[in-house]
Amino acid sequence: MGRRDKSRRDLSRAMDWCGKDLSTAEEIVDALRSRYGKYKRMSRQALVLNVRNVLDARNNNKKRVKEDEEDDDSDEGAGGGKMKKQRRLDEQSHVERRNKEKSVSSSSSSSEDSGGHISTSEDAKVSPRIDLTSDCLRGSYAKMNSSTKLAPPKQRRQGAGGGKMKKQRRLDVKEKSVSSSSSSSSEDSGGHISKLAPPGKVGPTFKDFGGIKKVLDELDQYILSPLLNPPLFGKIGAKPPSGILFHGPPGCGKTRLANAVANEAGVPFYQISATQLLSGVSGASEENIRRLFSKAYRTAPSIVFIDEIDAIGSKRENQQRETEKRIVTQLLTCMDGPPPGGGEDTTAAAGYVVVIGATNTPDALDPALRRGRRFGREIALTPPDVHARAEILSLVAQRLRLEGSFDMKRIARLTPGFVGADLEELADMAASLCVKRIMDSRKLQLSGDSDDGDDRSWLRQPWSDEDLDKLFVTMSDFEDAVKLVKGSLTREGFSTVPDVSWDDVGGLGHLRSELNNYIVRPIKYPDMYEKFGKTLETGFLLYGPPGCGKTLVAKAVANEAGANFIHIKGPELLNKYVGESERAIRTLFQRARTSSPCVIFFDEVDALTGRRGREGDHLVVGGLLNQFLTELHGGDRRDVYVIGATNRLDVIDPAFLRPGRFGNLVYVPLPNADDRVSILKSIANKRPLDPSVDLDAIANKYCEGFSGADLANLMDKAIHVAVKEKFQSIESSEDGDMDFSDCTIKMTHFKQALSSVTPSVSKQQIKHYEEQRKKFQSSTGRNNMDKINVGPSFAHE
């Protein structure tokens, strides 16, 4: 209804401007279409209908006024009728005078704001467009300008001292007027287009950030210095930076840092999300951008912060709609400064409007945005390392009630892949665990010996001061919270750290020692290795017969190190589309680097590292291998440990086997007698074995040539035999009841299982693997590799 009334008022006003000599609706329509482009674009039939409605409404108003006058004359006599008629005339003249003043003020302010530009289009002949937001803003500035012009005479009468006080008061009123007009325009526009930070608002400052000292120094130089000391750049004839781009993963503090910059500078701050600028009406998005920058230039020096700027500033060549391209072009134009001819004040303030953008994908932005004088400065907020996480935890812990000693570095080492938002969530989780600990003890006191588990009356009991004084967060609360909170950077593409420990791995003691020296200790004690200039080999290749525990060893290493773990199963990175396999490898190592320390385990790595130049290979396979080689050695591999496992060493490209890539080659042979006993005991650790079972005799007498997988299969077969025997005894009993007593695995079950289990690796295959190992060592000259070989039976003779 409001839009319809507005259109009718515009049409009525345009009809008045056409002249009073037009009598019929057709004549008025012809005049309107000849003078105004707005009505020329409308259909003639619809316009004629609207004009007739306006004429009918006017005639009805005239009749109503005439009837009211006749009623007044008949009811109240001559005196009363004249008074009412005069009152109506006064009210009508007052309304007309007020509308006229408002129209003059709006048009004069509009001419000033437009920078002196005169429109020559046909639409310019129409009455000024009624925009509540623009009218409120222009009216506020018109009043401000009028009050400023009347102030000087009062200054002269009050003398020097009073003049200074009046001048200061007038400046304060001007600043408040600008703030109120900007905020009101944002509310009246039907959406939160911009936000002007109120003076004195408590918010984040640079003291609330940890681990980004270098970034804060850059902000002092590029933003705070030009804003707080404008003459610096003008003295040397240079322009201050006009744009800063914050980019980095989510949760690193881009938005919070922009608010801290505004609080440190103490200037008007316009914060907006890029999606708030978009509109479904053609041209409205560009108008929102112009309005935002117009406010910023009027209140300069100021800061404009556009969050998620990639929503409106993405590459134009990738956009399909012309509207999206116009939005990017409008943003580029506004960042270059105010339109020419905007007056001396506007031009002077252009260099003091700083535009800050924030995005997670800087590569998606249009190249024109990332040049000088626009977003010429780019600041990367990378995921915090262990030292930065320790500083952030110290700041976050300041708002908590702590008890006991805290080792923030230890918690920082336990939280790889955590960003600032995750560390705050970690502190909240630790506080929740603290509350839960006190609530559990309080529940025992209030509920007593009640067996009703659904009774929650104790929750309604008020907390005493003594109970509240017990609320302290301890180091154990943080350690428990680490197990419950998952880092943002490890939510995609990372595997759960396996629950396999070295107790589940039988034998392989020498391999455990080597992996502990090269992987586990550098992760747990990085400071010690940094003192020696850590340049240790970070690539391991486990090879040998299948079923010897290569995958189990890699999982145990990841569990003991406590690092992030990525498990790649064979050829899962391969893709039928050209270039997608290489992208998958790049993404894999990029995730590992951002969440270091990290262990990457390639199971069946021969599927990705086959020899190049074989007959039938495609060029795509060569590109995949080259990308893999580059990431293994050419890229930044700091704190990224790579473990590969294969039983086909002969098909792997030799380039992968040199130092710096899979430099440590470890042969994992079949277990000997002692290792078989250890493996059987680790497998039977959680099984109900009968005391009469002799695992040493089973491993030494009956399991010659068995691998670890064969021994696990033997245990499963023995369990099946025991369960089958139990069901047979139940079926043969008279009552047929289930008897769960004496559910154990006996020696007879193992003997029956041995009849159906044979070694999975034949003697011929064992001989092949041994010859392959010796041949590889002699061809590469790595005679010292016997020191890393696992198992007493394959020790160097």
Side-chain angles (χ1 to χ4, degrees):
M1 292 297 293
R3 184 178 300 178
R4 187 179 302 172
D5 294 340
K6 175 180 177 299
S7 301
R8 186 171 296 177
R9 288 196 301 269
D10 292 344
L11 180 59
S12 178
R13 193 178 306 162
M15 292 168 59
D16 293 338
W17 290 347
C18 289
K20 302 293 185 179
D21 54 344
L22 303 177
S23 58
T24 63
E26 286 74 9
E27 294 177 352
I28 296 175
V29 168
D30 293 336
L32 290 174
R33 290 171 64 86
S34 62
R35 298 184 62 180
Y36 305 117
K38 174 181 178 180
Y39 299 113
K40 187 176 182 180
R41 291 189 291 268
M42 294 179 59
S43 64
R44 181 179 179 83
Q45 184 179 359
L47 186 58
V48 169
L49 181 61
N50 292 334
V51 170
R52 287 177 180 174
N53 292 336
V54 173
L55 293 176
D56 293 341
R58 289 182 177 180
N59 294 332
N60 293 335
N61 290 335
K62 290 180 181 180
K63 291 180 182 179
R64 192 180 300 109
V65 171
K66 187 175 181 179
E67 290 176 358
D68 291 343
E69 291 178 355
E70 292 176 357
D71 292 341
D72 292 341
D73 293 340
S74 62
D75 293 342
E76 299 180 5
K82 290 180 179 179
M83 292 178 62
K84 287 213 169 188
K85 182 177 181 179
Q86 183 64 32
R87 187 181 305 164
R88 282 195 299 270
L89 292 175
D90 293 342
E91 291 176 354
Q92 185 176 1
S93 62
H94 174 71
V95 172
E96 292 177 354
R97 185 171 62 254
R98 184 180 61 183
N99 293 336
K100 184 177 181 181
E101 291 175 356
K102 183 177 180 181
S103 177
V104 172
S105 174
S106 175
S107 61
S108 62
S109 176
S110 175
S111 62
E112 293 177 2
D113 295 338
S114 62
H117 294 288
I118 301 177
S119 175
T120 57
S121 64
E122 293 181 348
D123 294 344
K125 301 176 183 178
V126 191
S127 62
R129 183 175 56 184
I130 297 178
D131 190 344
L132 187 58
T133 302
S134 301
D135 289 346
C136 292
L137 187 60
R138 290 166 181 164
S140 301
Y141 276 94
K143 293 179 182 179
M144 183 183 66
N145 294 334
S146 61
S147 63
T148 306
K149 293 178 181 178
L150 296 176
K154 296 181 181 180
Q155 266 187 339
R156 299 189 189 97
R157 287 195 299 267
Q158 293 179 1
K164 290 182 179 180
M165 295 177 62
K166 277 286 185 179
K167 183 176 180 181
Q168 182 64 31
R169 187 182 306 168
R170 196 163 59 251
L171 292 175
D172 296 340
V173 171
K174 179 178 179 181
E175 183 178 356
K176 292 180 180 179
S177 176
V178 171
S179 175
S180 62
S181 65
S182 301
S183 59
S184 64
S185 66
S186 301
E187 295 173 0
D188 295 339
S189 63
H192 184 71
I193 293 182
S194 64
K195 180 177 72 175
L196 185 63
K201 180 181 178 181
V202 178
T205 60
F206 285 176
K207 296 181 180 179
D208 301 327
F209 292 85
I212 55 171
K213 185 179 183 304
K214 184 178 179 181
V215 172
L216 298 180
D217 293 340
E218 292 181 359
L219 294 177
D220 289 339
Q221 178 183 355
Y222 296 145
I223 297 183
L224 294 185
S225 179
L227 288 175
L228 300 178
N229 304 282
L232 290 179
F233 286 84
K235 186 69 174 178
I236 59 178
K239 293 183 180 180
S242 58
I244 302 288
L245 181 64
F246 293 159
H247 62 88
C252 288
K254 298 183 291 295
T255 304
R256 185 180 177 88
L257 185 59
N259 284 271
V261 170
N263 292 329
E264 292 285 348
V267 297
F269 180 61
Y270 298 90
Q271 179 179 355
I272 185 171
S273 177
T275 54
Q276 293 176 286
L277 293 171
L278 300 177
S279 175
V281 181
S282 179
S285 301
E286 295 90 317
E287 177 63 25
N288 291 337
I289 296 175
R290 289 193 297 269
R291 189 180 304 158
L292 170 65
F293 279 87
S294 177
K295 295 174 189 176
Y297 286 124
R298 291 172 191 168
T299 58
S302 60
I303 299 176
V304 176
F305 174 56
I306 305 178
D307 202 1
E308 304 297 341
I309 194 173
D310 53 281
I312 61 172
S314 56
K315 295 180 179 180
R316 285 171 285 184
E317 60 266 19
N318 297 336
Q319 296 176 350
Q320 304 297 330
R321 300 172 56 188
E322 290 296 328
T323 305
E324 298 173 348
K325 297 180 180 179
R326 291 200 305 268
I327 292 174
V328 179
T329 305
Q330 183 64 64
L331 180 61
L332 295 173
T333 304
C334 291
M335 289 191 65
D336 290 337
E344 182 181 355
D345 296 339
T346 306
T347 304
Y352 302 108
V353 175
V354 180
V355 183
I356 302 177
T359 179
N360 304 330
T361 55
D363 294 336
L365 293 180
D366 192 272
L369 280 172
R370 303 178 69 180
R371 71 161 177 83
R373 307 307 308 160
R374 287 170 185 163
F375 288 123
R377 302 286 193 277
E378 296 186 6
I379 296 179
L381 296 176
T382 58
D385 57 8
V386 61
H387 301 291
R389 291 197 297 270
E391 294 183 19
I392 296 173
L393 283 170
S394 300
L395 292 174
V396 172
Q398 290 179 0
R399 59 182 175 87
L400 301 176
R401 295 185 65 192
L402 305 179
E403 184 181 36
S405 60
F406 278 80
D407 187 1
M408 293 302 176
K409 288 187 177 181
R410 183 174 184 276
I411 301 176
R413 286 193 294 268
L414 295 175
T415 54
F418 279 55
V419 294
D422 300 327
L423 295 176
E424 289 187 348
E425 183 181 358
L426 177 66
D428 295 338
M429 180 60 69
S432 300
L433 294 177
C434 167
V435 173
K436 182 179 181 301
R437 186 179 67 252
I438 304 302
M439 286 179 62
D440 291 342
S441 61
R442 190 168 177 267
K443 179 181 178 181
L444 294 176
Q445 295 176 359
L446 297 178
S447 61
D449 298 332
S450 177
D451 296 333
D452 188 4
D454 296 333
D455 184 15
R456 291 180 173 81
S457 59
W458 61 274
L459 285 173
R460 301 179 178 87
Q461 298 294 330
W463 285 63
S464 62
D465 294 338
E466 296 179 357
D467 293 335
L468 294 176
D469 292 338
K470 296 179 182 177
L471 293 174
F472 285 98
V473 180
T474 62
M475 181 68 180
S476 60
D477 294 330
F478 271 95
E479 292 175 347
D480 295 338
V482 169
K483 303 175 183 178
L484 302 176
V485 180
K486 190 174 181 64
S488 300
L489 302 179
T490 60
R491 295 179 184 268
E492 181 182 0
F494 285 81
S495 307
T496 304
V497 176
D499 57 353
V500 178
S501 63
W502 283 107
D503 295 336
D504 301 323
V505 181
L508 306 182
H510 194 74
L511 177 59
R512 177 180 182 179
S513 175
E514 290 295 329
L515 294 175
N516 187 50
N517 292 333
Y518 281 91
I519 296 179
V520 178
R521 286 179 180 174
I523 293 177
K524 286 189 173 182
Y525 310 102
D527 298 336
M528 177 65 69
Y529 286 84
E530 287 179 0
K531 294 291 184 181
F532 289 91
K534 180 177 59 176
T535 57
L536 298 180
E537 185 69 53
T538 57
F540 275 81
L541 181 61
L542 311 180
Y543 70 100
C548 293
K550 298 183 290 295
T551 302
L552 202 65
V553 166
K555 292 182 178 180
V557 170
N559 185 17
E560 185 175 4
N564 291 321
F565 182 64
I566 302 178
H567 187 185
I568 304 299
K569 303 176 183 65
E572 68 175 82
L573 294 178
L574 299 179
N575 196 300
K576 65 180 180 179
Y577 296 105
V578 178
E580 291 300 319
S581 301
E582 292 87 336
R583 177 185 295 181
I585 291 179
R586 289 194 300 269
T587 304
L588 170 67
F589 279 89
Q590 179 62 30
R591 287 173 179 168
R593 284 190 290 266
T594 56
S595 304
S596 61
C598 180
V599 176
I600 306 178
F601 174 55
F602 291 93
D603 202 0
E604 304 298 338
V605 71
D606 53 275
L608 301 173
T609 58
R611 289 178 181 269
R612 290 170 289 184
R614 293 182 301 179
E615 184 179 356
D617 284 348
H618 195 269
L619 292 176
V620 176
V621 179
L624 171 64
L625 294 177
N626 293 332
Q627 184 66 53
F628 200 176
L629 292 171
T630 303
E631 294 294 339
L632 282 175
H633 186 67
D636 183 13
R637 281 260 313 273
R638 192 184 69 162
D639 294 334
V640 176
Y641 303 89
V642 182
I643 302 176
T646 181
N647 52 16
R648 295 291 307 278
L649 184 64
D650 54 325
V651 301
I652 294 180
D653 193 283
F656 286 93
L657 305 180
R658 74 164 179 82
R661 290 163 182 165
F662 289 115
N664 283 336
L665 279 79
V666 181
Y667 180 63
V668 184
L670 292 175
N672 57 17
D674 295 336
D675 291 338
R676 290 196 296 270
V677 173
S678 177
I679 293 172
L680 273 177
K681 288 182 179 179
S682 63
I683 295 174
N685 189 24
K686 299 179 181 179
R687 269 70 171 182
L689 288 184
D690 189 80
S692 62
V693 176
D694 187 1
L695 295 179
D696 293 344
I698 295 175
N700 294 325
K701 294 181 180 180
Y702 306 106
C703 298
E704 182 68 29
F706 276 37
S707 64
D710 297 333
L711 294 174
N713 187 27
L714 174 63
M715 181 65 67
D716 294 337
K717 292 290 185 181
I719 293 175
H720 283 292
V721 172
V723 172
K724 181 180 179 181
E725 181 180 312
K726 192 67 176 178
F727 274 105
Q728 290 177 354
S729 63
I730 293 175
E731 293 174 357
S732 61
S733 63
E734 297 179 356
D735 52 4
D737 295 336
M738 298 293 291
D739 183 13
F740 293 100
S741 62
D742 193 23
C743 292
T744 57
I745 307 173
K746 300 180 175 58
M747 191 68 178
T748 56
H749 300 150
F750 276 99
K751 291 181 178 181
Q752 295 181 29
L754 284 169
S755 61
S756 59
V757 178
T758 57
S760 59
V761 182
S762 64
K763 294 182 179 180
Q764 184 178 359
Q765 290 176 330
I766 296 175
K767 183 178 180 181
H768 168 72
Y769 282 110
E770 284 294 316
E771 291 177 353
Q772 185 183 83
R773 176 177 67 90
K774 295 177 181 180
K775 179 180 177 181
F776 174 76
Q777 292 179 4
S778 61
S779 62
T780 57
R782 300 185 185 184
N783 296 326
N784 59 345
M785 288 301 297
D786 291 284
K787 298 179 181 179
I788 309 181
N789 291 338
V790 181
S793 61
F794 295 94
H796 179 63
E797 298 179 356

